[in-house]
Amino acid sequence: PASEVRALKYSPNGKYLAWAIASEVRVMDAQTQAVVATIARAGVLDVRFSPKGTYVVTWERFSKPADSEASPNLSIWDAKTGALCGAFVHKSFGEDAIQWTDDEKYCAKLVAGEVRFYAPEALDQPALVLRVDGMSSFSVSPGRSPSVAVFVPERGSKPALVRMYTVGSFTRPTANKTFFKAENVEFYWHRLGTNLLVLTQTDVDNSGRSYYGESSLYFMAAAGNFDCRVVLDREGPIHDVAWNPDEKEFAVVYGYMPAKAALFNHRAEPVLDLGTAPRNLVRFNPHGRVLALAGLGNLAGAIDLWDRKSKSKICTIDAHGASLCAWAPDGRYLMAATLSPRLRVDNGIRIWHYTGAMVLRQPIDELFHVEWRPAPAAQFPQRASLSPVPQGITVSSPAVSAKPAGAYRPPHARTRPAADSSSPRSLSDMAERKVFGGGRIVPGAAPVGASPDMLAKAAEKKRTRNRKKAKDVASSGEASVPAPAAAVALAEPENEVEALKRVRQLKKKVTQINALAARRDAGEALEANQLSKIESRSQINAEIADLLTKFSSIST
């Protein structure tokens, strides 16, 4: 479109593509590229679809006039006709603003501490209501028998809790888990809706070990027959979590950088160590065969690709500067993109085959959004072995401009004529040139342009300063005395109190030396200074024995 696009989104089934401009929203058939509906709604900033693409959800910025109530800014439309189905007031918009069951029977929204489930054909009144005291967030599961999980933060001495209910049956929860140190959570459902991972977070780490707060991971079965905390063997934040779409297993990236990645089974037991590297994102391909471990954002941009079947790393690709990483629906290609406004330079798209070969590089001046057109993974049968790289694809490297020769010049000085080597480079340089008539000052050499009279006057001033300094030293009667040499050994204690202090100091040294010796005996390589400390142990023990003999009355 000719107008500025404010939002762009495919439907989850890949059937439609919707985009929003200043005055309206358009819905296009992704296959025929024909516009099927136009929604006359101005100011739309975000667009989403229901799971089957039947409904379009739009959101405008919340506003409330001083003399009236806030107008609805979250609207649900029919994707085929563009007819309005219903509207709500919602201050902020995100993935969890309005949630759907996979069959589109209900859409759910959090209102005044309760989850309200609406039938899309009757959005004026909720069909179901779930009330839990203190609830702050919720999540509807995918799958044929959807569940809903609700989170209640901890208050005072009461722990936080997550409860799970079957949609439509809210009398008793099917699962319940309590824990401390949880101010907010993220929900990660398995695609079948049978298991849930709960990532808990706090804004502040009370131990002071992390600037980003504390995080923990919990596993819950929707049936309520199993739950546990996922035990991680490395301290630090949990960067990312992802379920294998084809198996009941999940991957976690956790710990201080360089972070560790590991694979866990459906009992939260580690089954595969994926190594330690600067990584903060994990993505399975749609078939669950290949796993991508990426270090995006402020990291270098390296992406490790692992074969889940052979449990081995396939390759590492360089996606420096990337802020997005996504698999193609066929599971064979991985896209990395650099987006604005996070980065204003080197925007573009790069696509690799999962063997590590690059198949596309597309630079774009300003790239704000990119996504694959969704398609079911069943359309792309999985091979027994990884497919080879397609033939006949040549990717040209980006042109690299030659760097200008010479010293760096700031932007404000690049339009001026280049200064020669005799130009002044500092205020002191300018002052000296003003005195001696210009030219570059070389330490130890006579200034350029200085006349013999100037040099004679400068030498006479220096001699006068030296004579005055010598006269002041002589009149004070003080002779320079060399500093005493550093004592090699400590002075001998004069009484039992000093001897007791000295013995305690020496015994503390012996304890430290014993710890070093234990590390050496365990096979650890020590530094040269540490080995010399171990060699001095007998000397220190002898000194302790000597002090105890001289001052036999002291008690250690």
Side-chain angles (χ1 to χ4, degrees):
S3 304
E4 177 186 355
V5 176
R6 299 183 175 184
L8 180 71
K9 193 68 178 178
Y10 273 110
S11 62
N13 58 3
K15 185 177 181 180
Y16 297 116
L17 175 66
W19 66 88
I21 58 178
S23 58
E24 62 187 17
V25 176
R26 297 176 186 175
V27 182
M28 182 186 76
D29 188 306
Q31 185 66 32
T32 64
Q33 298 185 1
V35 175
V36 297
T38 300
I39 301 171
R41 188 78 168 190
V44 172
L45 299 178
D46 208 337
V47 177
R48 302 290 168 88
F49 279 92
S50 60
K52 294 183 178 181
T54 309
Y55 303 96
V56 179
V57 182
T58 63
W59 180 81
E60 306 106 53
R61 183 172 285 109
F62 173 80
S63 62
K64 183 180 182 302
D67 56 347
S68 63
E69 295 183 356
S71 57
N73 61 331
L74 177 64
S75 306
I76 299 178
W77 314 79
D78 188 290
K80 290 183 178 180
T81 64
L84 179 64
C85 301
F88 307 94
V89 175
H90 201 85
K91 290 186 177 181
S92 60
F93 194 71
E95 293 289 345
D96 58 347
I98 189 162
Q99 302 180 38
W100 298 80
T101 57
D102 276 359
D103 58 5
E104 295 185 350
K105 184 177 180 181
Y106 298 110
C107 61
K109 187 175 181 294
L110 183 63
V111 180
E114 60 185 25
V115 181
R116 298 179 182 177
F117 292 81
Y118 297 87
E121 62 275 6
L123 294 174
D124 53 339
Q125 291 293 332
L128 303 170
V129 177
L130 171 60
R131 296 183 179 89
V132 179
D133 292 340
M135 175 175 50
S136 64
S137 62
F138 78 103
S139 178
V140 177
S141 76
R144 296 181 180 179
S145 301
S147 301
V148 56
V150 299
F151 169 67
V152 179
E154 60 178 311
R155 293 181 179 178
S157 59
K158 293 183 179 180
L161 65 88
V162 170
R163 286 179 181 167
M164 297 171 64
Y165 298 85
T166 301
V167 174
S169 178
F170 301 145
T171 55
R172 291 184 58 186
T174 58
N176 188 80
K177 184 67 178 175
T178 60
F179 35 74
F180 287 96
K181 297 182 179 180
E183 296 177 359
N184 51 75
V185 299
E186 296 178 22
F187 297 103
Y188 295 87
W189 288 97
H190 188 271
R191 69 177 184 88
L192 300 178
T194 53
N195 295 305
L196 172 66
L197 291 171
V198 182
L199 175 59
T200 66
Q201 295 175 329
T202 61
D203 295 332
V204 178
D205 183 358
N206 294 326
S207 65
R209 290 178 293 181
S210 173
Y211 176 78
Y212 301 99
E214 295 181 78
S215 57
S216 300
L217 187 65
Y218 297 89
F219 181 99
M220 297 179 65
N225 54 1
F226 180 75
D227 65 74
C228 71
R229 177 174 180 174
V230 181
V231 179
L232 304 176
D233 59 356
R234 192 180 181 92
E235 291 186 352
I238 298 174
H239 304 283
D240 198 18
V241 180
W243 282 99
N244 185 331
D246 200 46
E247 300 286 344
K248 290 185 178 181
E249 62 181 17
F250 58 94
V252 187
V253 183
Y254 58 97
Y256 296 113
M257 289 295 167
K260 182 177 179 179
L263 201 64
F264 296 81
N265 62 15
H266 67 287
R267 290 291 174 179
E269 300 167 339
V271 294
L272 180 61
D273 187 344
L274 299 173
T276 301
R279 307 288 183 261
N280 58 3
L281 182 140
V282 56
R283 292 288 184 271
F284 282 94
N285 75 338
H287 298 91
R289 173 71 183 270
V290 184
L291 174 69
L293 288 171
L296 305 185
N298 58 349
L299 300 180
I303 303 177
D304 298 329
L305 299 182
W306 285 74
D307 185 352
R308 177 65 187 91
K309 186 175 181 180
S310 64
K311 300 181 180 180
S312 60
K313 186 164 74 171
I314 302 171
C315 63
T316 298
I317 58 181
D318 181 14
H320 63 277
S323 52
L324 178 145
C325 177
W327 284 100
D330 66 354
R332 295 179 176 88
Y333 298 96
L334 180 71
M335 174 179 63
T338 304
L339 306 178
S340 291
R342 189 188 179 280
L343 283 178
R344 298 287 187 180
V345 296
D346 297 332
N347 283 193
I349 304 167
R350 287 164 287 175
I351 299 177
W352 293 266
H353 188 261
Y354 55 25
T355 56
M358 180 178 287
V359 297
L360 176 68
R361 182 197 298 271
Q362 182 64 53
I364 300 174
D365 291 338
E366 281 187 299
L367 179 63
F368 295 95
H369 178 80
V370 62
E371 63 178 289
W372 295 98
R373 179 185 174 188
Q379 292 184 6
F380 310 95
Q382 184 178 359
R383 300 184 179 184
S385 59
L386 298 179
S387 61
V389 182
Q391 301 299 318
I393 297 178
T394 303
V395 180
S396 60
S397 300
V400 180
S401 59
K403 293 184 179 180
Y408 170 79
R409 300 184 69 197
H412 69 274
R414 291 173 186 172
T415 56
R416 303 174 186 173
D420 57 18
S421 60
S422 63
S423 299
R425 300 186 179 185
S426 64
L427 293 177
S428 59
D429 194 6
M430 294 175 64
E432 289 176 348
R433 292 171 192 229
K434 187 180 292 185
V435 173
F436 293 112
R440 184 178 180 182
I441 306 300
V442 179
V448 178
S451 64
D453 292 340
M454 289 182 178
L455 296 176
K457 290 180 179 179
E460 180 61 28
K461 288 181 178 180
K462 184 175 181 180
R463 288 193 293 269
T464 302
R465 287 195 300 270
N466 291 338
R467 286 196 297 266
K468 183 178 180 182
K469 183 177 180 180
K471 183 177 179 182
D472 293 340
V473 172
S475 62
S476 63
E478 296 178 356
S480 59
V481 180
V488 177
L490 294 176
E492 185 76 17
E494 297 180 355
N495 52 52
E496 293 183 358
V497 175
E498 293 183 0
L500 178 60
K501 292 181 180 180
R502 178 63 178 159
V503 169
R504 288 178 177 173
Q505 293 174 356
L506 294 174
K507 286 191 173 183
K508 185 176 181 181
K509 287 185 178 181
V510 172
T511 302
Q512 297 172 348
I513 292 173
N514 290 339
L516 289 175
R519 290 166 55 188
R520 180 198 60 186
D521 296 341
E524 183 178 345
L526 300 181
E527 302 290 340
N529 61 337
Q530 294 174 324
L531 294 174
S532 63
K533 286 182 180 180
I534 296 176
E535 294 176 357
S536 66
R537 178 167 50 183
S538 58
Q539 182 181 355
I540 296 176
N541 287 329
E543 185 177 352
I544 293 174
D546 184 52
L547 288 172
L548 294 176
T549 302
K550 290 182 179 179
F551 300 92
S552 57
S553 62
I554 67 175
S555 174
T556 60

